[in-house]
Amino acid sequence: MSCLFDRQLLHPEPPSLYDFAQSALHSDQDKPNAVRLRRLLSSPDAARLARQVRPGGTGWEVDAIQHARVIAAEAVHHGVLHTPAPALFERLRHRSVLPRDEATFIEAQKLRSMTNLSVFGWFVTCETNGDGYALKAALATEWGRGKLFSPLAVLHLALDGQGRYEREPGTDGPSIQIALPEDPHHPGVLADILDPVLTGLMATCGTFLATLALLNASPSLTLTVPDQGQCAAHARRHGRGLVSYSKIPATLPALSELVGDREGS
């Protein structure tokens, strides 16, 4: 079975606003947002404009991302969702979230309690910045069945020399700068639509930070190699095989330490 990272390698181009609207329609069905979108896109002029609006740039650079270490983090995401945010970040603020690899793709599939989002992933890179580090994470999303919209946003976090994130004043949570996709020919359109969507997905930020902390605490994970038959079939169909990935198990002691007290505050 392919993972989100495989599908991103096949579709690196930036999607249009129309693509995103179709994803929402496919997954929301008869919800109010879908009804409004369906009514909007019934206008030929609105549909034509939606097809024209897309993020600037070239999208994912396959040569840059194809060698990333892929981490399956469903167990982490499930634990984060059931852990109060103050308790999670009180623990995370003391831990290094400095990536161990040049590039890391952290993804979670089979989501529950994430409305119409079916899969998400964070492509994480880091570089030195003075006495510390600058971490960058781009959010990849898949809505419904196979409908990609990526990157939906890029987060920037400052880390100190020990890999701990810079905190938002008065909290244990990270100080984050967020960049949303922008179409230079239609300024503000994408940001207005994607900002409320991203607000609902910020819980996934805790997942990728917790995963980075766990990779530092338990760097040795079992590598899952795709089935040879499936890999060969994928290569014949798409010109590249399936990637291998490491999975963080729900039984990992370091994970229990991080999200174990779910009644805490």
Side-chain angles (χ1 to χ4, degrees):
M1 184 180 74
S2 67
C3 58
L4 176 60
F5 188 70
D6 290 307
R7 298 190 288 279
Q8 287 293 176
L9 291 177
L10 296 178
H11 301 283
E13 65 280 353
S16 70
L17 177 58
Y18 186 86
D19 296 327
F20 180 74
Q22 288 297 316
S23 299
L25 286 174
H26 177 83
S27 50
D28 271 352
Q29 301 297 333
D30 296 324
K31 294 181 180 178
N33 285 341
V35 173
R36 285 194 293 270
L37 275 174
R38 193 175 292 110
R39 187 180 303 121
L40 174 66
L41 295 182
S42 65
S43 163
D45 290 340
R48 190 179 305 110
L49 175 61
R51 286 189 172 93
Q52 295 172 356
V53 176
R54 64 179 66 239
T58 57
W60 300 105
E61 296 182 11
V62 173
D63 290 343
I65 72 172
Q66 64 181 338
H67 300 299
R69 183 187 184 190
V70 180
I71 306 295
E74 286 83 5
V76 182
H77 183 63
H78 182 71
V80 166
L81 285 182
H82 290 83
T83 302
L88 175 68
F89 288 121
E90 195 281 327
R91 296 163 187 165
L92 276 176
R93 72 182 179 90
H94 300 290
R95 306 188 183 209
S96 171
V97 295
L98 182 66
R100 300 178 63 88
D101 300 276
E102 183 176 348
T104 310
F105 192 83
I106 298 166
E107 68 172 70
Q109 303 196 50
K110 301 177 182 178
L111 302 180
R112 299 185 296 272
S113 304
M114 292 297 290
T115 63
N116 52 4
L117 180 68
S118 55
V119 190
F120 74 85
W122 287 96
F123 179 69
V124 183
T125 56
C126 198
E127 59 184 27
T128 56
N129 183 28
D131 295 330
Y133 302 90
L135 184 148
K136 183 169 74 171
L139 176 60
T141 60
E142 185 172 88
W143 306 79
R145 300 180 62 181
K147 296 186 178 297
L148 302 173
F149 193 92
S150 307
L152 190 146
V154 177
L155 306 188
H156 298 269
L157 293 83
L159 310 182
D160 66 18
Q162 295 179 295
R164 297 172 301 197
Y165 60 71
E166 181 180 298
R167 286 182 285 163
E168 188 70 22
T171 75
D172 290 322
S175 176
I176 297 174
Q177 292 183 334
I178 303 175
L180 291 169
E182 186 68 277
D183 183 335
H185 303 293
H186 303 88
V189 173
L190 281 172
D192 286 346
I193 292 174
L194 296 181
D195 183 63
V197 175
L198 181 63
T199 299
L201 301 182
M202 285 307 291
T204 67
C205 177
T207 297
F208 92 76
L209 288 174
T211 301
L212 291 174
L214 291 170
L215 291 176
N216 281 311
S218 304
S220 298
L221 298 175
T222 301
L223 186 67
T224 299
V225 179
D227 175 81
Q228 289 186 353
Q230 293 181 355
C231 194
H234 193 270
R236 288 194 299 271
R237 190 176 302 116
H238 301 293
R240 63 168 63 242
L242 299 170
V243 300
S244 300
Y245 62 90
S246 299
K247 184 173 183 177
I248 296 181
T251 55
L252 189 71
L255 176 58
S256 298
E257 294 174 7
L258 192 61
V259 300
D261 180 13
R262 298 180 183 177
E263 301 301 323
S265 60

